[in-house]
Amino acid sequence: RLFHCGGEVLPGLPLIAAGIKEGSPLTMVVTVASRVVTASSDGIARIWNPETGGCLQTLGAVGSESQSAMQDSRLWAGRKMISATFSPNGKFVLSASVDCTATIWRVQSGELVHTLGGHRRRLRSAVFSPDSALVVTTSDERTAKIWNVGSGECVLELQGHRYGVNSAVFSPDGAMVLTASPDNTAKIWCTQSGKCLQTLKGHRWEVLSAVFSPDGALALTTSDDCTAKIWCVASGECMQTLRAQG
């Protein structure tokens, strides 16, 4: 898409006809074709075209009548997927499975890039960093792990929750990770050192999820205690408690 002075130049219209003189500044916006990725209990993730409904890529075992393919299908069925997500740069898909592993796939070819193994209990979540260079995974074993997408190696293990870790997300600048746990707390961690920067205490029951605000200054947590809380990231102070009515 092409823009001039805040207005979009219609496709197929010559620049001169649009009143654009030679040497005028133009802004070009490149958009990636819309795609959807799904995860399934059959151990397969699929990339779809939402406009046509067609399957563009199958990530995992491919159906076939051959014995080896049938064995692969049984193998992947044992890796029931709980989630799948695109990397921000659109090059990879990250899937999480109940067999304690996460998998990085190449979108264009469907190739398996890395299997991230190291957790000893069921995964709860897996997400990319904003720059697509890192992945954070959480599990029922009280840890979150940060992985290098290029090498597939675990570069940090975040330990400190008393129970499992329900979810983890990176801050918008990628400098921090926010985790939510059944131990009634959320924690903010330094992505580089793995140090716990803040422990957000105040919920009476399990913290189900936690996310950063778009500017990274605030955090929002939700809990089984029927409240959501807004926190100051810098101080760890609770700014507001949002209570369900009725």
Side-chain angles (χ1 to χ4, degrees), residues 21 63 143 173:
K21 299 179 181 180
T143 64
D173 62 1

Side-chain angles (χ1 to χ4, degrees), residues 87-89 92 128-135 146-151 170:
S87 60
N89 64 11
F92 304 102
F128 284 100
S129 61
D131 63 0
S132 304
L134 299 172
V135 161
I146 297 178
W147 310 79
N148 182 291
V149 170
S151 67
F170 287 93

Side-chain angles (χ1 to χ4, degrees), residues 17 27 33 36 40 51 54 86 89 101 109 139 147 149 161 168 199 216 223 239:
T27 299
V36 171
S40 172
E51 295 182 357
F86 285 109
N89 64 11
T101 68
S109 64
S139 81
W147 310 79
V149 170
H161 283 295
T199 297
S223 170
M239 311 291 290

Side-chain angles (χ1 to χ4, degrees), residues 42-147:
D42 63 6
I44 297 175
R46 293 175 174 86
I47 300 174
W48 308 83
N49 182 323
E51 295 182 357
T52 66
C55 181
L56 304 175
Q57 197 66 259
T58 299
L59 311 177
V62 179
S64 170
E65 296 302 322
S66 70
Q67 183 176 1
S68 61
M70 291 175 66
Q71 290 174 345
D72 286 345
S73 297
R74 288 194 293 269
L75 170 64
W76 286 105
R79 295 181 177 179
K80 176 181 176 181
M81 290 185 184
I82 60 172
S83 67
T85 184
F86 285 109
S87 60
N89 64 11
K91 294 181 179 180
F92 304 102
V93 163
L94 173 66
S95 62
S97 303
V98 297
D99 69 348
C100 309
T101 68
T103 306
I104 300 173
W105 310 86
R106 202 175 304 280
V107 168
Q108 187 171 2
S109 64
E111 170 194 4
L112 190 158
V113 181
H114 296 297
T115 297
L116 311 180
H119 287 289
R120 296 183 300 278
R121 293 191 179 180
R122 173 187 172 134
L123 291 194
R124 287 294 177 180
S125 68
V127 297
F128 284 100
S129 61
D131 63 0
S132 304
L134 299 172
V135 161
V136 61
T137 56
T138 68
S139 81
D140 283 339
E141 65 182 358
R142 300 188 240 179
T143 64
K145 294 179 184 287
I146 297 178
W147 310 79

Side-chain angles (χ1 to χ4, degrees), residues 156-235:
L156 278 176
E157 187 167 308
L158 309 179
Q159 295 182 326
H161 283 295
R162 291 185 293 112
Y163 302 126
V165 185
N166 285 331
S167 70
V169 294
F170 287 93
S171 59
D173 62 1
M176 294 176 288
V177 166
L178 174 62
T179 55
S181 173
D183 66 6
N184 304 354
T185 71
K187 289 180 180 288
I188 300 171
W189 312 80
C190 174
T191 303
Q192 288 191 338
S193 67
K195 178 183 178 182
C196 181
L197 304 175
Q198 300 287 355
T199 297
L200 310 181
K201 297 180 179 179
H203 284 294
R204 293 182 294 108
W205 298 102
E206 175 176 358
V207 179
L208 303 172
S209 65
V211 295
F212 285 101
S213 60
D215 63 0
L218 300 175
L220 173 69
T221 56
T222 64
S223 170
D224 256 349
D225 64 10
C226 300
T227 69
K229 291 180 181 288
I230 300 173
W231 310 80
C232 173
V233 168
S235 67

